Amino acid sequence: MYALVNSAIVATYSSMTSTALGVTAALALVSLSLSSAKIHLGLLLAPLVMPDILMGISCFFFRLHPSEAQPSYCLLAHTTFSMSYVAMIVRTRLETMDISIIEAAKDLGATTFQVFWKVILPILAPAIMAGGLLAFTLSLDDFRHHLLCGRPGSDGRFPSSL
């Protein structure tokens, strides 16, 4: 039961955080110039290309610090790992979106906030939901790596101050 509760807690927090950061990263990638977008895209693709290396690095940091810090390192590792998946899904949806809808909303007098809230966000909602669910699933899948990377003799429980 401890493993189930810990997995659910970590997966929930990391998927919510990675979804928010992934959507922000996707919006930034679409609005950046071509040269700086290539650099940022390369940084976002790193977890997709070499996930086992990044999980190994996060397990290494697990071993360096006391068990009281493990929940925060676990959340950080899962968030940075899952954020790339969310960003790529939302970025794909943004690139296929028809820009004339945004221009039409601006022509009709909508503010920037109204354009985002009433036009862009409903179009991106399926991609955001898909990215969030994928982040949750990835976090549930990879939690076992972090649980096994704990200190010898630990029973797999996180401290109650999560």
Side-chain angles (χ1 to χ4, degrees), residues 19-33:
T19 301
L21 291 174
V23 170
T24 306
L27 290 170
L29 272 176
V30 171
S31 65
L32 288 176
S33 66

Side-chain angles (χ1 to χ4, degrees), residues 16-65:
M16 289 189 313
T17 308
S18 64
T19 301
L21 291 174
V23 170
T24 306
L27 290 170
L29 272 176
V30 171
S31 65
L32 288 176
S33 66
L34 186 61
S35 60
S36 61
K38 285 183 180 180
I39 295 169
H40 289 96
L41 184 61
L43 291 172
L44 272 176
L45 287 175
L48 302 175
V49 175
M50 48 187 167
D52 292 333
I53 294 172
L54 292 176
M55 281 298 163
I57 291 171
S58 65
C59 282
F60 173 72
F61 285 117
F62 252 34
R63 302 287 284 179
L64 290 179
H65 296 284

Side-chain angles (χ1 to χ4, degrees), residues 6 9 66-72 155-162:
N6 287 338
I9 289 171
S67 60
E68 289 80 23
Q70 283 188 1
S72 60
D155 59 357
R157 296 184 193 184
F158 282 147
S160 59
S161 62
L162 182 64

Side-chain angles (χ1 to χ4, degrees), residues 56-126:
I57 291 171
S58 65
C59 282
F60 173 72
F61 285 117
F62 252 34
R63 302 287 284 179
L64 290 179
H65 296 284
S67 60
E68 289 80 23
Q70 283 188 1
S72 60
Y73 284 111
C74 189
L75 287 172
L76 181 66
H78 284 232
T79 300
T80 55
F81 180 71
S82 301
M83 181 182 75
S84 299
Y85 288 94
V86 176
M88 290 301 114
I89 292 171
V90 174
R91 179 178 159 262
T92 303
R93 182 65 185 120
L94 276 170
E95 288 179 347
T96 60
M97 189 172 67
D98 187 14
I99 302 298
S100 63
I101 297 171
I102 297 171
E103 293 170 357
K106 287 181 181 178
D107 286 344
L108 292 171
T111 64
T112 305
F113 178 75
Q114 288 174 333
V115 168
F116 179 76
W117 191 254
K118 295 188 177 194
V119 177
I120 297 174
L121 196 60
I123 292 172
L124 293 181

